[in-house]
């Protein structure tokens, strides 16, 4: 029996099974089996094979954004008008057959845009070129899901399901679950808060499916079966996502007002270049980039080309490594001007965390 058939059978059994306390163990087992089968689809045994011709675009710039959506929702028009790159645009479906890259510069950062071929339902199970498309989406810092404003919800649900099936978690934080395999001692489960779904028996059932019999697990919040499976699988990626509702020239102002209230959403018209300012501002917020300006000794800061770091990886050491790997070996102290210090300039060590638009001067050992 093929993997796809096994997946279909398990999904059908899950749909038939009533959800209650008595069936939670059985459903947990089915979810674990499903996750393992999906992993085989993502990472076939015997090596993963490349992303496929035209899909494996080299990473450039400070961040990478993937445009995901059904065919003919306006991804190519959006790329052409945002980046000035010619991506073949036509009024018939399946125009883009490979990944088309473009680059924009915004607030001093260089951002790579990838127009991915249209996704079809069943992409996560290998239909169309879906596996290659989603494999590229997994490498992005941010995903733009481009939706047709006239049929947004049905497309949104399908695309989310396809991406979820490939281990992509949108606008979510990694589960706050501590999981450590060990050689002996059985299962030691600690819950720091009351659990509504997971208990010792259910956790043990799920671990048995993975042939894990000895582990320490700490649940720091009210976790779900899916959260635990995600942590055990260990191959999930957590990517911020903005939903772009395109073709707003086809709806009324009243409908537009409603759309504006939907979380993580920006209404646009790719064709007319409407609302691109809002889109770029939200993009910047979601990318969480930190711009650091360099200041050579005795000179003014260079505000023209910032060193761009990611929030959470913006220490002085990260800054040095982005400039050149050898700098940290000769590092003595740094002088910092900006919001990360109390007085300007302030002498700091390599562990100091920098904030957006700080100015840094590195002083090397003599």
């Amino acid at each position: 029996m093929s993997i796809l058939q096994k997946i279909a059978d398990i999904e059908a059994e899950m749909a038939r099974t009533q959800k209650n306390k008595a069936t939670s163990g059985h459903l947990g087992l089915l979810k674990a089996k499903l996750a393992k089968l999906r992993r085989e689809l993502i990472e076939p045994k015997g090596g993963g094979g490349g992303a496929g011709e035209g899909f494996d675009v080299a990473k450039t710039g400070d961040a990478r954004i993937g445009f995901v959506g059904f065919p003919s929702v306006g991804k190519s028009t959006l790329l052409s008008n945002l980046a000035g790159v010619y991506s073949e645009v036509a009024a018939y479906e399946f125009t883009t057959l490979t990944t088309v890259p473009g680059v924009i510069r915004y607030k001093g950062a260089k951002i790579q845009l990838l127009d991915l071929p249209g996704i079809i339902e069943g992409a996560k199970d290998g239909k169309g070129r879906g596996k290659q498309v989603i494999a590229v989406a997994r490498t992005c810092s941010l995903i733009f899901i481009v939706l047709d404003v006239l049929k947004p919800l049905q497309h949104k649900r399908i695309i989310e399901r396809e991406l979820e099936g490939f281990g992509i978690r949108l606008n979510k934080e990694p589960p706050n679950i501590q999981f450590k395999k060990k050689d002996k001692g059985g299962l030691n489960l600690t819950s720091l808060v009351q659990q509504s779904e997971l208990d010792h028996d259910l956790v043990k059932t799920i671990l048995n499916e993975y042939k894990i019999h000895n582990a320490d697990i700490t649940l720091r919040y009210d976790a779900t079966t899916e959260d635990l499976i995600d942590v055990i699988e260990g191959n999930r990626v957590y990517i911020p996502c903005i939903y772009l509702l395109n073709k707003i020239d086809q709806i009324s102002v009243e409908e537009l007002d409603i759309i504006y209230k939907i979380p993580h959403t920006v209404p646009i018209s790719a064709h007319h270049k409407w609302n691109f300012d809002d889109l770029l501002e939200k993009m910047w917020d979601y990318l969480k980039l930190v711009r650091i300006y360099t200041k050579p000794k005795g000179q003014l800061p260079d505000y023209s080309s910032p060193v761009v770091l990611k929030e959470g990886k913006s220490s002085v050491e990260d800054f040095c490594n982005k400039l050149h790997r050898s700098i940290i070996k000769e590092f003595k102290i740094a002088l910092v001007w900006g919001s990360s210090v109390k007085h300007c300039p302030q002498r700091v060590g390599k562990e100091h965390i920098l904030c957006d638009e700080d100015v840094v001067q590195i002083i090397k050992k003599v």
Side-chain angles (χ1 to χ4, degrees), residues 53-67:
E53 190 182 335
F55 287 87
D56 42 354
V57 177
K59 260 190 175 181
T60 62
D62 302 305
R64 171 183 253 198
I65 300 176
F67 295 10

Side-chain angles (χ1 to χ4, degrees), residues 294-302 335 337 345 359-363:
T294 55
K295 184 189 179 307
K297 190 176 180 183
Q299 296 178 38
L300 290 169
D302 177 10
L335 294 176
W337 294 256
V359 174
V360 177
Q361 180 184 325
I362 301 295
I363 297 173

Side-chain angles (χ1 to χ4, degrees), residues 247-268:
K247 307 180 185 177
I248 56 170
D249 47 305
Q250 298 178 18
I251 62 168
S252 69
V253 174
E254 289 77 18
E255 288 170 309
L256 193 56
D257 285 341
I258 294 166
I259 287 167
Y260 254 113
K261 293 171 183 161
I262 303 170
H264 312 298
T265 297
V266 179
I268 60 162

Side-chain angles (χ1 to χ4, degrees), residues 88-357:
E88 192 182 339
V89 180
Y92 49 88
E93 298 199 345
F94 296 104
T95 317
T96 305
L97 299 174
T98 58
T99 299
V100 179
V103 172
I104 58 170
R105 287 192 176 275
Y106 188 69
K107 295 192 177 183
K110 185 180 171 189
I111 297 162
Q112 184 182 39
L113 307 176
L114 298 179
D115 173 16
L116 299 170
I119 274 188
I120 58 171
E121 193 164 3
K124 68 181 184 300
D125 302 328
K127 285 186 186 171
R129 305 288 296 271
K131 280 167 72 172
Q132 292 99 320
V133 174
I134 301 177
V136 176
R138 280 177 65 95
T139 68
C140 293
S141 330
L142 172 64
I143 290 175
F144 284 170
I145 292 184
V146 187
L147 300 165
D148 186 327
V149 76
L150 298 176
K151 41 190 170 185
L153 286 176
Q154 67 200 76
H155 283 185
K156 177 177 180 279
R157 277 195 291 266
I158 292 167
I159 291 168
E160 284 172 344
R161 196 161 63 237
E162 299 303 319
L163 296 178
E164 283 268 326
F166 242 77
I168 296 173
R169 303 291 177 258
L170 301 172
N171 293 326
K172 287 181 182 171
E173 294 294 320
N176 195 358
I177 297 174
Q178 197 175 330
F179 170 68
K180 188 181 176 187
K181 278 197 270 188
K182 53 188 186 179
D183 296 327
K184 55 187 179 181
L187 170 61
N188 180 27
L189 178 66
T190 308
S191 300
L192 301 184
V193 299
Q194 183 76 32
Q195 298 295 314
S196 55
E197 187 173 329
L198 292 174
D199 58 24
H200 192 279
D201 290 343
L202 179 50
V203 170
K204 194 171 183 180
T205 300
I206 293 166
L207 290 180
N208 283 344
E209 177 59 29
Y210 285 93
K211 297 182 170 57
I212 298 169
H213 306 295
N214 304 291
D216 290 333
I217 296 176
T218 304
L219 306 174
R220 300 180 182 277
Y221 69 112
D222 188 5
T224 65
T225 304
E226 286 84 358
D227 294 337
L228 178 61
I229 290 169
D230 281 356
V231 171
I232 297 168
E233 285 283 334
N235 62 354
R236 306 310 193 215
V237 289
Y238 297 84
I239 305 176
C241 166
I242 299 173
Y243 300 93
L244 307 187
L245 293 182
N246 190 26
K247 307 180 185 177
I248 56 170
D249 47 305
Q250 298 178 18
I251 62 168
S252 69
V253 174
E254 289 77 18
E255 288 170 309
L256 193 56
D257 285 341
I258 294 166
I259 287 167
Y260 254 113
K261 293 171 183 161
I262 303 170
H264 312 298
T265 297
V266 179
I268 60 162
S269 168
H271 179 69
H272 295 291
K273 304 183 187 178
W274 290 353
N275 213 25
F276 277 15
D277 286 349
D278 261 17
L279 168 58
L280 292 170
E281 202 54 52
K282 199 162 197 120
M283 170 199 81
W284 184 257
D285 289 345
Y286 278 52
L287 284 173
K288 291 185 164 59
L289 298 177
V290 178
R291 295 159 295 171
I292 310 299
Y293 302 110
T294 55
K295 184 189 179 307
K297 190 176 180 183
Q299 296 178 38
L300 290 169
D302 177 10
Y303 291 113
S304 61
S305 50
V307 174
V308 181
L309 304 171
K310 191 95 175 107
E311 196 177 279
K313 292 186 177 175
S314 63
S315 67
V316 170
E317 185 171 0
D318 293 321
F319 169 74
C320 291
N321 288 336
K322 188 81 183 268
L323 287 171
H324 198 278
R325 288 278 174 192
S326 64
I327 291 176
I328 202 70
K329 293 173 189 166
E330 303 164 20
F331 176 86
K332 184 181 177 187
I333 57 146
L335 294 176
V336 177
W337 294 256
S339 58
S340 72
V341 290
K342 287 179 180 170
H343 43 266
C344 296
Q346 186 170 316
R347 294 159 70 97
V348 301
K350 62 183 181 182
E351 295 85 15
H352 178 76
I353 303 299
L354 299 164
C355 291
D356 190 33
E357 299 202 274

